[in-house]
């Protein structure tokens, strides 16, 4: 168990559809998930054709929600698939780019809220098979990412605007109920289809499960989740799939995390371990403000920089979470140049400093102004994002838990330099914690980028 993960014994009321396990999963599949550190999300569907613009007008809202923008009629949108022909789509190149970025897992939108399927589902005609492109996109991606050793997760939206039986509100009349039953069958069939067709995938990333109609089906959804898990041993499902019988989502009535990891930190990192409740979690992040699908106009909001995203990656891992950067390819299958450059920027840094991200956990150091610290075994990684003007890094070392023992720095090296760090005594506070001054050498100063110090601490 990682620090902070001890479940505290408490009174629980019996729930039929609450959690089925107290505390974290301990199996190998979940341990692998925990060590990913960094992932890639891809939002791709027919919304990439308009890319946030239609008839000369631009919607500033999320491009993957373009059907609801008011700029396009539902009929026009629902016929976009007739034009979907991504002739530039190069699966291997996407997977290589993800690999170079340092992503260890990838999440792909098999079906977003519009209901368009990127695989040839036999349960609807609204799929890739009906487009001029025809070929199975999910299959190509799974194969290419598998070949690069990047684990694949399938994003699946419970909301489906294309299905006749879909409802967001709880169906009231018998006819409405019968209609919703057809939607439940359809959803179940599609997910079983995905797990059967793409058996190497590691998990399902659910979305759109906030509908009252879906929450009202807690018992059915719970059984369905068990069925999916039985079909695919090791399957990883986040907290955005089902509610308990009291309509509590993510966290059940007893305060326990539903399913395998917390999905509530979307575009919003926690600041402390307490905020994470000691659970596994991921944070998925857009590069612009709130655009997941391709938007033609990236001048609308601030665009995050590679160092911005790298800091978030390290911060997430310092709090025992995974960080996932989203990409929105265009209607032809091109990943835009800005995104390719950002992926390269992240990857170049990760190639040198990735040790501070993969397989690490919350460190014994407290959070300090210069950045974030992570730990693996007896090595503590200091990732420095705020370099002091005087190039003297003040590091507070914790007090040992054992009586009369203290931690001292045994060695400090930079991952991006052969120069050994010069470490000086930096004093002591009234609680007995030691401070050290680490002098930042000239070659690191010149790098002008975030850097990592590998610290070995010993108790004396
Ligand atoms: C959903 C989608 O509506 C969106 O298009 C995108 O796919 C994103 C990954 O997921 O949007 C959400 C879902 C949940 C929250 C915010 C946006 N949330 O819990 O804060």
């Amino acid at each position: 168990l990682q620090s902070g993960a001890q479940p505290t014994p408490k009174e629980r009321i019996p729930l039929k559809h609450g959690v089925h396990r107290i505390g974290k999963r301990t199996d190998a599949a979940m341990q692998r998930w925990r060590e990913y550190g960094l992932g890639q999300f891809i939002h791709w569907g027919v919304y990439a054709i308009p890319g946030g613009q239609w008839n000369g007008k631009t919607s500033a809202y999320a491009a993957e929600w373009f059907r609801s923008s008011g700029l396009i009629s539902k009929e026009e949108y629902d016929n976009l698939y007739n034009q979907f022909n991504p002739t530039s789509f190069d699966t291997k190149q996407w997977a290589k780019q993800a690999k170079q970025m340092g992503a260890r897992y990838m999440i792909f939108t098999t079906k977003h809220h519009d209901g368009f399927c990127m695989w040839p589902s036999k349960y609807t005609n609204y799929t890739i098979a009906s487009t001029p492109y025809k070929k199975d996109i999910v299959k190509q991606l799974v194969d290419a990412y598998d070949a690069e050793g990047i684990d694949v997760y399938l994003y699946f939206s419970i909301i489906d605007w294309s299905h006749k039986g879909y409802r967001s509100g709880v169906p009231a009349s018998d006819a409405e109920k019968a209609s919703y039953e057809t939607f439940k069958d359809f959803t179940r069939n599609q997910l079983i289809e995905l797990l059967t067709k793409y058996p190497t995938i590691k998990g399902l990333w659910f979305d759109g499960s906030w509908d009252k109609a879906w929450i009202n089906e807690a018992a059915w959804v719970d059984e369905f989740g068990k069925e999916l898990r039985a079909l695919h041993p090791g399957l990883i499902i986040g907290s955005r799939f089902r509610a308990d019988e009291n309509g509590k989502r993510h966290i059940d009535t007893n305060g326990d995390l539903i399913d395998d990891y917390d999905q509530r930190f979307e575009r919003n990192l926690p600041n402390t371990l307490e905020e994470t409740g000691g659970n596994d979690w991921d944070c998925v992040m857009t590069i612009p403000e709130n655009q997941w699908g391709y938007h033609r106009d990236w001048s609308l909001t601030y665009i995050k920089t590679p160092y911005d995203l790298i800091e978030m990656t390290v911060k997430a891992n310092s709090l025992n979470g995974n960080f996932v950067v989203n990409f929105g390819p265009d209607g032809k299958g091109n990943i835009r140049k800005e995104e390719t450059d950002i992926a390269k920027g992240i990857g170049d840094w990760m190639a040198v400093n990735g040790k501070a991200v993969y397989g690490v956990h919350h460190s014994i150091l407290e959070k300090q102004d210069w950045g974030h610290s992570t730990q693996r075994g007896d090595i503590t990684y200091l990732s420095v994002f705020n370099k002091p003007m005087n190039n003297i890094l003040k590091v507070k070392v914790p007090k040992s838990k054992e009586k009369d023992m203290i931690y001292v720095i045994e060695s400090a090296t930079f991952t991006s330099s052969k120069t050994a760090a010069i470490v000086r005594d930096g004093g002591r506070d009234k609680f007995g914690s030691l401070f050290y001054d680490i002098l930042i050498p000239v070659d690191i100063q010149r790098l002008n980028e975030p850097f990592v110090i590998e610290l070995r601490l010993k108790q004396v």
Side-chain angles (χ1 to χ4, degrees):
L1 278 181
Q2 295 174 345
S3 51
Q6 304 294 346
T8 39
K10 61 175 179 186
E11 292 274 321
R12 288 184 167 87
I13 60 159
L15 291 173
K16 277 200 193 118
H17 306 295
V19 303
H20 302 302
R21 177 197 67 248
I22 302 297
K24 294 179 175 191
R25 262 172 71 168
T26 55
D27 58 295
M30 197 64 200
Q31 188 52 33
R32 186 175 163 92
W33 185 95
R34 235 164 248 144
E35 294 182 4
Y36 290 145
L38 176 65
Q40 181 196 43
F41 207 152
I42 295 184
H43 272 71
W44 199 32
V46 292
Y47 41 79
I49 297 173
Q53 296 181 342
W54 199 248
N55 292 334
K57 293 210 173 87
T58 300
S59 163
Y61 197 60
E64 75 282 1
W65 277 78
F66 197 68
R67 192 174 184 271
S68 311
S69 67
L71 297 186
I72 190 169
S73 70
K74 302 287 185 256
E75 207 201 334
E76 278 175 304
Y77 186 95
D78 294 342
N79 278 296
L80 284 173
Y81 74 96
N82 288 311
Q83 300 171 44
F84 195 65
N85 193 14
T87 47
S88 306
F89 177 47
D90 182 344
T91 337
K92 291 203 176 83
Q93 198 188 316
W94 286 21
K96 282 210 160 59
Q97 178 169 316
K99 181 84 176 179
Q100 192 278 335
M101 182 174 87
R104 294 265 169 102
Y105 70 127
M106 185 275 250
I107 307 162
F108 183 69
T109 50
T110 59
K111 178 176 98 168
H112 205 262
H113 308 334
D114 59 15
F116 179 73
C117 301
M118 297 295 266
W119 82 100
S121 176
K122 63 179 176 197
Y123 302 103
T124 170
N125 290 325
Y126 193 40
T127 81
I128 193 68
S130 307
T131 69
Y133 183 74
K134 289 195 177 65
K135 287 173 279 185
D136 183 347
I137 283 175
V138 175
K139 165 117 182 79
Q140 294 179 65
L141 284 170
V142 170
D143 288 348
Y145 279 72
D146 277 356
E148 291 290 351
I150 300 172
D151 287 354
V152 178
Y153 289 72
L154 303 182
Y155 166 108
F156 185 93
S157 169
I158 298 299
I159 295 173
D160 186 330
W161 299 321
S162 76
H163 193 273
K164 282 201 179 64
Y166 168 73
R167 298 288 182 281
S168 62
V170 178
S173 69
D174 286 348
E176 287 287 291
K177 280 181 190 149
S179 191
Y180 196 66
E181 287 304 311
T182 68
F183 174 69
K184 283 160 59 186
D185 282 346
F186 171 69
T187 302
R188 176 173 170 273
N189 285 336
Q190 284 205 319
L191 282 156
I192 292 171
E193 182 180 46
L194 284 171
L195 291 184
T196 311
K197 278 178 92 80
Y198 315 107
T200 58
I201 64 128
K202 301 291 187 276
L204 297 168
W205 205 97
F206 285 99
D207 193 17
S209 53
W210 51 78
D211 283 335
K212 293 271 191 300
W214 187 254
I215 293 171
N216 186 51
E217 292 290 342
W220 181 83
V221 178
D222 190 12
E223 286 314 308
F224 176 38
K226 289 179 192 164
E227 184 184 10
L228 294 173
R229 289 182 190 279
L231 206 65
H232 196 100
L235 187 72
I236 292 173
I237 297 177
S239 65
R240 208 187 276 180
F241 174 54
R242 65 182 181 93
D244 76 5
E245 60 262 48
N246 301 317
K248 295 274 188 205
R249 301 178 60 236
H250 302 284
I251 298 289
D252 76 7
T253 303
N254 287 317
D256 298 310
L257 180 75
I258 299 178
D259 289 325
D260 305 327
Y261 66 94
D262 196 341
Q263 282 183 283
R264 288 175 300 171
F265 295 107
E266 170 161 332
R267 293 198 304 117
N268 186 18
L269 284 169
N271 287 308
T272 64
L273 204 58
E274 287 64 48
E275 273 179 67
T276 72
N279 295 312
D280 287 311
W281 59 276
D282 76 350
C283 170
V284 294
M285 186 61 73
T286 52
I287 296 175
E289 184 56 32
N290 182 24
Q291 296 290 344
W292 299 89
Y294 174 72
H295 198 294
R296 291 170 193 276
D297 188 354
W298 261 23
S299 71
L300 296 169
T301 66
Y302 179 76
I303 302 298
K304 295 176 190 72
T305 64
Y307 293 158
D308 203 353
L309 296 160
I310 290 165
E311 173 162 13
M312 293 180 198
T313 303
V314 179
K315 182 178 179 183
N317 282 275
S318 78
L319 298 171
N320 296 335
N322 283 327
F323 191 72
V324 184
V325 183
N326 179 73
F327 294 77
D330 71 15
K332 283 284 150 212
N334 296 300
I335 294 180
R336 69 199 307 151
K337 178 157 188 320
E338 298 96 317
E339 286 182 349
T340 295
D341 291 348
I342 287 166
K344 174 133 188 359
I346 295 173
D348 289 350
W349 191 88
M350 290 292 284
V352 177
N353 303 293
K355 280 191 277 187
V357 170
Y358 303 118
V360 296
H361 56 81
H362 189 69
S363 93
I364 59 171
L365 262 61
E366 67 183 54
K367 171 79 182 77
Q368 299 175 44
D369 291 341
W370 38 256
H372 309 282
S373 62
T374 51
Q375 189 169 335
R376 186 189 320 96
D378 56 1
I379 300 183
T380 307
Y381 297 94
L382 317 184
S383 296
V384 179
F385 293 91
N386 310 310
K387 182 167 68 69
M389 291 299 287
N390 63 3
N391 288 303
I392 301 172
L393 193 76
K394 210 164 230 343
V395 178
K396 182 181 181 182
V397 167
K399 246 178 91 172
S400 167
K401 285 205 178 73
E402 282 150 65
K403 206 172 173 285
D404 298 330
M405 299 282 272
I406 54 165
Y407 281 111
V408 297
I409 292 182
E410 185 180 31
S411 70
T413 52
F414 297 91
T415 54
S416 49
S417 166
K418 289 194 173 59
T419 318
I422 295 171
V423 183
R424 294 194 311 210
D425 184 357
R428 198 183 261 266
D429 68 12
K430 62 181 175 187
F431 306 107
S433 293
L434 291 184
F435 288 81
Y436 285 93
D437 290 339
I438 299 181
L439 311 189
I440 300 167
V442 173
D443 58 338
I444 298 284
Q445 293 175 30
R446 287 204 187 113
L447 266 182
N448 199 26
E449 65 173 45
F451 59 92
V452 172
I453 302 173
E454 279 184 46
L455 217 61
R456 273 176 200 281
L457 298 172
K458 71 174 175 198
Q459 296 187 62
V460 294

